[in-house]
Amino acid sequence: MITTFSSAGHEVSLTVNWLKSRPALLAILTEADSVEPDLDFEAFRRSFNDYGATFVWPSRTEAGRASLVWRLMQQMVADIANGIDSDRIGINYASSFTRKTNLNDAWRDFTEQILQPMFDYLTEHVAAESSILYVLERYVRRVEWFDREGLYERAMADTRKTEDVYDEHLRSFLFGEGINMPFSQARSASGESDVLSSLDSDDPLVCEVKVFDAISRKKREIASGFNQAIQYALDYGKQVAYLVVINLSGRALSFVVDDEVKTWPPHLTVSGVRVYLVSVRALPTPSASQQGKASPVVVTVEDLVNPDSPEED
């Protein structure tokens, strides 16, 4: 918005390279590509050479618009790589878009009206994803601080329905937080998802629930939930999913995954789907001063992607 037209190409190059280094943002833009796959990018690009013509977006959705902008910015970088001077980028794309004769004003108009929609789209999606993680963090605290004993008693009353108890509790909590939930499991091509909300919207939430107790429900259960979450996400065209692990083992779960930025919760991307791994300490335990030293249960990438990998203590 504030750069001069002579620096436009340089700034676009920096931005494109930065976005390509951020897997989470790149996943959002990759998903946007699939919303309107038949958009004619070349016609869109050529429209900026039609001086005096009224510009009309060819896309019907915000995702389609973001996809076009992302491809346009990458085309600018390709233009520079092919020998076009950086200062020509601002002239080539912005001067025909607007009637303003001042090139700096023309670039500012172009940035605001053409490029900014992609950044607005990213901001909205990052905010939505952060909101889900915030709600799930509150759920972890709700169980660990307030509901652990009561839930455990209900779960142990009929061990065949242990997972159902926690699944229902999570549904109820999310509904109370304003996330609309179906009251029956939603069916996709891969089966029935434990939690799949907002099916009537363009942006459903995919969330799988699994119980881990290190006895009858081991790492294989976590791997099963991880792979199911990926399949459900792919079925619904999503690139983000959530796996909530109800930990009844009494030992901490440590996910050793490829997470360059050490934030909560850890996540792993497989087949273009980023799965957040949310662990809930759900086993009632004595106070910390009365507990012995317990080594964590380490869950590796191999454990997650290969349900048949050997179990370890």
Side-chain angles (χ1 to χ4, degrees):
M1 290 288 288
I2 63 175
T3 193
T4 61
F5 80 93
S6 59
S7 300
H10 176 70
E11 295 298 329
V12 169
S13 295
L14 289 177
T15 304
V16 168
N17 291 334
W18 182 83
L19 285 169
K20 286 184 174 180
S21 71
R22 297 296 185 270
L25 298 179
L26 201 56
I28 294 172
L29 292 172
T30 302
E31 182 178 343
D33 283 338
S34 64
V35 175
E36 293 187 68
D38 297 328
L39 287 172
D40 189 342
F41 170 72
E42 286 303 321
F44 169 71
R45 184 175 66 86
R46 289 194 301 270
S47 68
F48 298 110
N49 296 324
D50 190 2
Y51 183 79
T54 301
F55 176 79
V56 178
W57 282 98
S59 53
R60 302 181 304 277
T61 64
E62 292 181 356
R65 186 172 298 187
S67 175
L68 287 172
V69 175
W70 176 231
R71 293 178 66 181
L72 184 66
M73 293 178 68
Q74 293 179 88
Q75 181 62 54
M76 293 178 182
V77 175
D79 289 346
I80 295 173
N82 289 330
I84 297 178
D85 291 339
S86 176
D87 60 356
R88 290 295 308 178
I89 296 297
I91 298 174
N92 291 351
Y93 286 93
S95 60
S96 297
F97 171 74
T98 177
R99 297 181 183 275
K100 292 185 177 179
T101 57
N102 183 291
L103 289 175
N104 289 330
D105 291 341
W107 174 255
R108 188 173 296 109
D109 273 2
F110 179 83
T111 302
E112 183 176 12
Q113 297 183 50
I114 301 300
L115 301 186
Q116 185 170 330
M118 184 194 75
F119 295 95
D120 292 340
Y121 182 80
L122 286 172
T123 300
E124 291 172 3
H125 278 69
V126 169
E129 192 170 303
S130 298
S131 297
I132 295 298
L133 291 176
Y134 171 72
V135 169
L136 289 176
E137 185 179 21
R138 282 174 50 82
Y139 178 73
V140 171
R141 294 177 180 177
R142 172 68 180 267
V143 173
E144 295 181 355
W145 293 0
F146 303 105
D147 297 345
R148 182 155 50 183
E149 286 76 11
L151 281 172
Y152 185 74
E153 288 181 6
R154 288 174 53 200
M156 292 301 102
D158 185 349
T159 55
R160 296 171 301 176
K161 298 183 178 180
T162 296
E163 194 170 283
D164 294 341
V165 169
Y166 291 100
D167 174 65
E168 180 185 6
H169 186 257
L170 175 58
R171 290 170 186 270
S172 176
F173 179 84
L174 292 177
F175 186 79
E177 293 290 320
I179 300 175
N180 291 329
M181 304 295 302
F183 287 95
S184 61
Q185 291 180 323
R187 181 175 294 277
S188 73
S190 299
E192 293 181 340
S193 170
D194 289 338
V195 179
L196 188 55
S197 74
S198 302
L199 288 176
D200 57 343
S201 75
D202 294 328
D203 194 25
L205 163 67
V206 178
C207 182
E208 185 71 9
V209 180
K210 286 296 176 184
V211 172
F212 172 80
D213 60 16
I215 301 173
S216 60
R217 298 178 174 93
K218 299 185 179 182
K219 293 180 184 178
R220 193 169 287 109
E221 289 293 317
I222 299 177
S224 174
F226 179 81
N227 284 278
Q228 286 172 359
I230 292 173
Q231 292 303 315
Y232 298 141
L234 292 174
D235 288 344
Y236 285 93
K238 301 302 301 172
Q239 290 177 295
V240 175
Y242 305 84
L243 173 61
V244 176
V245 181
I246 305 298
N247 182 8
L248 297 178
S249 71
R251 297 167 61 188
L253 278 173
S254 177
F255 292 99
V256 181
V257 294
D258 185 15
D259 185 0
E260 295 181 0
V261 181
K262 300 301 180 181
T263 57
W264 184 93
H267 60 80
L268 180 64
T269 300
V270 174
S271 299
V273 177
R274 185 171 66 259
V275 182
Y276 287 102
L277 306 162
V278 179
S279 177
V280 185
R281 296 173 299 176
L283 180 70
T285 57
S287 64
S289 61
Q290 296 177 321
Q291 296 182 40
K293 183 178 180 180
S295 58
V297 177
V298 177
V299 182
T300 66
V301 172
E302 178 66 17
D303 293 328
L304 290 171
V305 301
N306 182 12
D308 297 322
S309 61
E311 293 279 354
E312 296 180 2
D313 293 335

